[in-house]
Amino acid sequence: MRVSKHHYAIELALKGNKVYFLEPPDSKHAGISVKPASESEHLYIVRYKPLFRGKKYLPPFLYSLLISLQLKKLKDYLGVQPDVVWSFHPFLFENLKQFKAPLAIYFGADLFIENELPGEIRTADICFAVSPTILERIKEGNANVYFINHGLSAVFLNHAARRSEGLAANPTPAMRIGYAGNLLMEAPDHATMKKVIAAHPDKQFIFWGQYEKNGPFIGHDHPDVADFVDFLKRQANVILRGVVPTGQMAAEMQQIDMFWICWKTTASRMWDGSNSHKLLEYISTGRPVVAHHVAAYKGTTYLRMMPDSSNEQYPELFSETAKSIVSGRIKAVDENHVQFAAGNTYRHQLERIEALISAHVG
């Protein structure tokens, strides 16, 4: 599964930039290796074994020294001096100035697990954030921070272009409801989602995403997670598709009548529901989307979301939306939503980032 940093690396390379994508340090890897990526002749995947382990046991000055040695070894091996360093990973390199690049960027795609600010924020020349919450946290350590929404990958854009050519008829009450995301996360509001599924036995709920702990992604041991997955397995109106290739999921999502996302919106060190990259994928289909309160979309009409952080009335919002779609009071497919998603591809987001950097650098 690709995430933001992979998509941006590809887009940068497709524009002719020579991009070295540093994989997370791997203690099992032998030394340093560089492998050309299939997406572009200008993109290289770099894997490396860290020179040391046990960061949390090291004094900050010693960690900084060891990181500088790690960077020197990487740059000597690659034989390059970067013009730009772009970090998506907090608390790894800490001081981006050690790259000695003319421009240092930090991109906040997720909340930080730790309470303190990562050093990457304080040492970046400019920062970007995908949600208001992350932006406000970054602002504590760097005033040069701007909102950039999540991006939409090309496979969804291709479907979006075709989808906008013809608007489907309103569905019957036996609707197909879609949800995409790792079901082993603690973020979903399990109690509310159970209520919704139980209240709509006539509807088919389709889930894409990992639900078995032996899969590729990290699972959580919180009891609510296991209980929710067991609940889904027992429901006759639930289909668990598991992890499928992105292109296949994008195609299958075109057959959905309505999407939903229902996360807990209480403060968390890892998530707070203020944005999700899955939302643009939903919106790209043009189908209605029912959501908890998503701060990044406040003031827009692309989601039918709760007005505040409480999910108490979420089941009512879900039911009312479904009825309105069937009756025709809500469009089965909204062309404006399709076009909004198409205007937020990773290429478009990169153009926005470049414009902000140009204005900032002057």
Side-chain angles (χ1 to χ4, degrees):
M1 181 186 71
R2 289 176 181 159
V3 293
S4 298
K5 57 187 177 182
H6 301 112
H7 290 289
Y8 279 116
I10 292 169
E11 289 299 333
L12 284 166
L14 291 175
K15 294 187 70 172
N17 300 288
K18 197 169 187 177
V19 180
Y20 291 91
F21 183 92
L22 299 182
E23 293 278 13
D26 183 357
S27 59
K28 297 180 180 179
H29 191 68
I32 302 172
S33 66
V34 182
K35 180 181 178 181
S38 59
E39 292 86 355
S40 169
E41 61 180 337
H42 301 295
L43 178 59
Y44 300 88
I45 308 301
V46 181
R47 298 182 63 197
Y48 67 98
K49 182 177 183 177
L51 294 177
F52 61 94
R53 299 177 67 181
K55 171 190 173 181
K56 63 181 179 180
Y57 302 110
L58 298 172
F61 79 91
L62 182 55
Y63 179 75
S64 179
L65 174 62
L66 292 171
I67 281 291
S68 67
L69 294 174
Q70 179 80 79
L71 289 177
K72 184 179 186 307
K73 188 171 182 179
L74 282 168
K75 290 198 292 184
D76 287 347
Y77 184 90
L78 298 175
V80 297
Q81 170 56 49
D83 299 304
V84 178
V85 56
W86 187 338
S87 174
F88 289 82
H89 199 316
F91 304 106
L92 177 58
F93 293 109
E94 293 284 354
N95 186 358
L96 297 182
K97 300 299 184 187
Q98 290 188 337
F99 281 88
K100 295 181 170 54
L103 179 65
I105 303 169
Y106 177 76
F107 193 102
D110 299 290
L111 285 171
F112 329 121
I113 296 177
E114 290 81 357
N115 290 322
E116 69 270 17
L117 290 177
E120 288 85 352
I121 288 175
R122 300 186 189 280
T123 57
D125 297 300
I126 190 169
C127 301
F128 302 98
V130 299
S131 84
T133 305
I134 299 174
L135 188 146
E136 288 303 316
R137 285 295 312 280
I138 291 176
K139 194 180 292 184
E140 295 172 18
N142 195 319
N144 299 317
V145 55
Y146 303 91
F147 172 77
I148 292 289
N149 200 356
H150 283 293
L152 182 71
S153 61
V155 289
F156 291 94
L157 177 61
N158 294 338
H159 286 291
R162 290 196 297 271
R163 189 70 156 183
S164 63
E165 293 171 359
L167 304 184
N170 291 338
T172 65
M175 300 171 66
R176 292 160 295 186
I177 313 297
Y179 179 96
N182 183 0
L183 294 174
L184 299 182
M185 293 174 59
E186 293 181 41
D189 183 343
H190 301 123
T192 302
M193 293 179 75
K194 284 181 182 180
K195 290 179 183 177
V196 170
I197 293 170
H200 296 275
D202 59 328
K203 293 174 176 50
Q204 189 176 70
F205 291 83
I206 298 147
F207 289 84
W208 293 272
Q210 183 178 332
Y211 62 93
E212 301 287 5
K213 287 192 176 183
N214 60 352
F217 307 124
I218 297 173
H220 296 277
D221 293 326
H222 196 283
D224 283 356
V225 173
D227 178 71
F228 182 61
V229 171
D230 288 341
F231 168 83
L232 294 178
K233 290 179 177 178
R234 295 194 304 268
Q235 306 311 303
N237 61 334
V238 168
I239 296 176
L240 293 170
R241 296 287 292 117
V243 179
V244 300
T246 302
Q248 179 182 338
M249 183 180 72
E252 292 178 3
M253 283 173 65
Q254 307 310 310
Q255 307 307 314
I256 296 298
D257 299 308
M258 184 175 87
F259 291 91
W260 66 321
I261 183 171
C262 184
W263 281 13
K264 303 165 189 171
T265 53
T266 52
S268 167
R269 292 186 302 167
M270 295 183 65
W271 41 261
D272 66 348
S274 56
N275 204 352
S276 168
H277 72 280
K278 290 299 178 185
L279 290 174
L280 275 175
E281 297 173 4
Y282 291 173
I283 294 169
S284 73
T285 68
R287 293 298 192 181
V289 181
V290 180
H292 60 264
H293 184 75
V294 183
Y297 284 85
K298 184 178 181 179
T300 73
T301 59
Y302 303 112
L303 307 177
R304 293 183 61 81
M305 67 179 181
M306 298 302 299
D308 53 43
S309 61
S310 172
N311 283 336
E312 185 177 354
Q313 301 300 316
Y314 186 99
E316 287 78 4
L317 175 64
F318 183 99
S319 297
E320 185 274 328
T321 301
K323 291 176 183 177
S324 296
I325 295 170
V326 173
S327 69
R329 292 195 300 272
I330 295 176
K331 291 181 180 180
V333 179
D334 194 314
E335 169 72 11
N336 291 328
H337 294 193
V338 176
Q339 293 305 315
F340 169 77
N344 280 274
T345 62
Y346 282 99
R347 178 159 296 184
H348 281 106
Q349 306 304 43
L350 184 57
E351 291 171 352
R352 293 182 177 107
I353 289 170
E354 290 173 335
L356 287 167
I357 290 173
S358 295
H360 173 74
V361 174

